Structures are given as C-alpha cells and as structure tokens.
Amino acid sequence: MSRLDSVIRRLQAQRSCIDHAIALVADRPGPVFEVGLGNGRTYDHLRDRLPGRAIYAFDRQVAAHPDCIPTGQFLVLGDARQTLRATAASGGRAVLLHSDIGTGDAAANAALAVELAPVYAEAVAPGGILISDQPLAGPAFEPLALPEGVAPGRYHLYCRR
Amino acid sequence: MSRLDSVIRRLQAQRSCIDHAIALVADRPGPVFEVGLGNGRTYDHLRDRLPGRAIYAFDRQVAAHPDCIPTGQFLVLGDARQTLRATAASGGRAVLLHSDIGTGDAAANAALAVELAPVYAEAVAPGGILISDQPLAGPAFEPLALPEGVAPGRYHLYCRR
C-alpha cells in the first residue's frame, strides 16, 4: 500500500468513526472536546456535523487554517494534561472527545496516550464517547465496535464507563 | 462539506487520476516526472504502481518523509521552470507528468500554472499524459475525460498533442 493509499484509508476511518460517534451522542447534551486542533480539519468536520454544539479545541499552539480556529474560550492553548481538567470543570465534561495526537514518533505517541488516558477519564462524562488515533487503556474505557469499513487498529472508539 | 470531506475527495480524485493515467501509459516507455515532491505521498504511490520505471521528482527543496526521497539524479532540486527542460534533455521526455503545485493561494497557483504550461509542453513526449491539480491551457494540451467518481474541476487530465 502506498502512502497515498494509507492516508486516504486513515482519513476515511477517522471520518467514519467521528460520524458514528456523533450519531451515538445525538440525543445527549454536553460539549465536544477536540484534542489536537492541528490543521483544523476535524474541528471543521465536528462543527459542520454538530451545529450549535459547544466545541472546545485544545492544542499547544495554533497551526490551523485561519477559517478553522475556534473563538474565545473555545480555543484552549497549553498542555492538555492541565487544560482539559480546567475546561471540564468550567464548561462541563465532554459528551464526545476526539483525540488526534499522533506524530511520526510511535513511541512518543504511545507514551502521551498513557499520560492522557486518566485525564480523558476525568474529562469525559460517563456514557460519553472517545474517538482516538491512539489506543487507550484502563478500566474507564469500554472498547466499542468500529463502524463498517474501518480495519481494527486503524482508529479507536471507546465508551466512558 | 467539511474540510475533512474535502481533503478525502481531493486525495481520492488524485489517486483515481494517477491510476487512470498509469494505465494509459502502461505500454509506453519513458520516464515519469513528479513536479512538487511535497511530502512524498504521490511519489511513493507512483513508484509503488510503476516498479522499475525511472521517476524524477522536482521541488525547490526537500520536505518529504525520509522514506520518500528519490536518490541520485532522480531528485531534482531548483526552479522547475529551469530544471524540467534540463532533465528532459538528459533523461528523456516524460511519458507521464504529475503536477501538484497548489498552495493555499489560488491566484499564485494559477499564475504558476500559466508559467509552467509551456515548460510542460516541452518536457512531456507527444502522446504522454499530464495529471495536474491546476488547469492547464494551450494548444499542446488535449483535455481527457476524468475517471469515474472524479468531479469536473477537482483534478485535471491532459494528453500532450
């Protein structure tokens, strides 16, 4: 598989998982947390599919397309290990959290996911959904079946117990 | 359509056009020119689909993934307006040229395409195929039908007359 094939599959898996998770939380109130704003593509997707929903985006710094930068308190800059807790306290725990933190460094990705897992467990409301580019482990996370067409391990879905 | 939807459609269109063009030139000898190496994704796709074919990649500087950088004379750095002519003279005119030069600046993209069109006309052998993210104009370029599923204007295919 070429890198072009691979990125298409990854983005399709990401979209399928996000759309599936959005359907799962459709009838539940609460904010959405986007961890890793990056270029803003999935933030744009979330706000397109969830008009009127409070969506907080977290990153260390802004590198997003100018059209895809949240305004006011919905852009939260800093270390997510601190900022998520504060935002959950002030704005409510998330009904949906999308975590896209991966870089080219697989070992660093895995280490960061281990550090973030307990933070996500606090930041997401019980019954809320986590979508993650990295596997998450811990008693708080119940793995959910992936939507059709998404290969196991390509993306990850959990329900916060 | 969200930016996530949009990038998936763009990459699918790119891959469909490249695969279609590869089939069109399967029985013709000659090198392949990749103009705009970028992150190396489409270069990786071309070499995956065309094992054994000479593939020259052109860019101003190298920003590709380390696994996707051509070696030796197949990496051509500099201004494509000069380097393409020299490579066509030394390595032969291309049977297939893929041009992916777009940035976020639509006016600059269009201006660069106007400058590159006559260079492409010289660099591609008669009967060769051009795949381009920008429209190309001029008597040398016969527009070809896009493969199924690619919306008009999303990507561009030409035969060098």
Side-chain angles (χ1 to χ4, degrees), chain A residues 1-5 7-8 11-12 14-15 18 40-42 44-45 48-49 65 67-68, chain B residues 1-5 7-8 11-12 14-15 18 40-42 44-45 48-49 65 67-68:
Chain A
M1 195 192 315
S2 73
R3 283 181 177 266
L4 181 59
D5 294 323
V7 70
I8 290 170
L11 293 171
Q12 286 176 322
Q14 185 180 56
R15 181 174 62 181
I18 291 174
R41 224 153 39 195
T42 53
D44 189 56
H45 193 74
D48 180 75
R49 299 293 204 272
H65 188 280
D67 291 346
C68 302
Chain B
M1 195 193 311
S2 74
R3 282 180 178 267
L4 181 58
D5 294 322
V7 72
I8 291 171
L11 292 172
Q12 287 176 321
Q14 187 180 55
R15 181 175 61 182
I18 291 174
R41 226 154 37 197
T42 52
D44 188 56
H45 193 74
D48 180 76
R49 299 292 204 270
H65 188 282
D67 291 345
C68 302

Side-chain angles (χ1 to χ4, degrees), chain B:
Chain B
M1 195 193 311
S2 74
R3 282 180 178 267
L4 181 58
D5 294 322
S6 181
V7 72
I8 291 171
R9 287 205 194 185
R10 182 181 179 280
L11 292 172
Q12 287 176 321
Q14 187 180 55
R15 181 175 61 182
S16 292
C17 288
I18 291 174
D19 289 347
H20 181 65
I22 283 172
L24 291 176
V25 303
D27 298 327
R28 295 171 55 97
V32 171
F33 289 3
E34 164 81 346
V35 184
L37 175 61
N39 58 32
R41 226 154 37 197
T42 52
Y43 169 72
D44 188 56
H45 193 74
L46 288 165
R47 69 179 174 179
D48 180 76
R49 299 292 204 270
L50 291 164
R53 183 82 72 153
I55 306 175
Y56 295 87
F58 302 78
D59 214 326
R60 290 179 203 270
Q61 65 272 319
V62 175
H65 188 282
D67 291 345
C68 302
I69 301 172
T71 54
Q73 82 271 27
F74 296 107
L75 174 64
V76 186
L77 297 181
D79 187 323
R81 287 165 287 197
Q82 277 85 51
T83 55
L84 278 163
R85 285 192 177 93
T87 301
S90 63
R93 292 170 78 175
V95 67
L96 178 65
L97 185 152
H98 173 232
S99 171
D100 185 6
I101 59 170
T103 65
D105 183 340
N109 296 343
L112 183 56
V114 166
E115 286 195 66
L116 282 172
V119 184
Y120 289 169
E122 284 183 46
V124 178
I129 305 293
L130 291 94
I131 318 159
S132 176
D133 68 333
Q134 307 294 322
L136 300 175
F141 306 110
E142 180 187 346
L144 298 180
L146 295 168
E148 198 181 323
V150 179
R154 192 172 291 279
Y155 231 74
H156 308 273
L157 269 180
Y158 303 92
C159 180
R160 169 73 173 94
R161 285 196 176 99

Side-chain angles (χ1 to χ4, degrees), chain A residues 4-148:
Chain A
L4 181 59
D5 294 323
S6 180
V7 70
I8 290 170
R9 287 205 194 185
R10 181 181 180 281
L11 293 171
Q12 286 176 322
Q14 185 180 56
R15 181 174 62 181
S16 292
C17 288
I18 291 174
D19 288 349
H20 181 65
I22 284 171
L24 292 175
V25 304
D27 298 329
R28 296 171 55 98
V32 172
F33 288 3
E34 163 80 346
V35 184
L37 175 61
N39 57 32
R41 224 153 39 195
T42 53
Y43 169 72
D44 189 56
H45 193 74
L46 288 165
R47 69 179 174 180
D48 180 75
R49 299 293 204 272
L50 290 164
R53 183 81 73 153
I55 306 175
Y56 294 87
F58 302 79
D59 214 327
R60 290 179 202 271
Q61 64 272 321
V62 175
H65 188 280
D67 291 346
C68 302
I69 301 172
T71 54
Q73 81 272 28
F74 296 107
L75 175 64
V76 187
L77 296 181
D79 187 323
R81 287 165 287 196
Q82 278 84 51
T83 55
L84 277 163
R85 285 192 177 94
T87 301
S90 63
R93 292 170 78 175
V95 67
L96 177 65
L97 185 151
H98 173 232
S99 171
D100 186 6
I101 59 170
T103 64
D105 184 340
N109 296 343
L112 183 56
V114 167
E115 286 195 66
L116 283 172
V119 184
Y120 289 169
E122 284 183 45
V124 178
I129 305 293
L130 291 93
I131 319 159
S132 177
D133 69 332
Q134 307 294 323
L136 299 175
F141 306 109
E142 180 187 347
L144 298 180
L146 295 168
E148 198 182 323

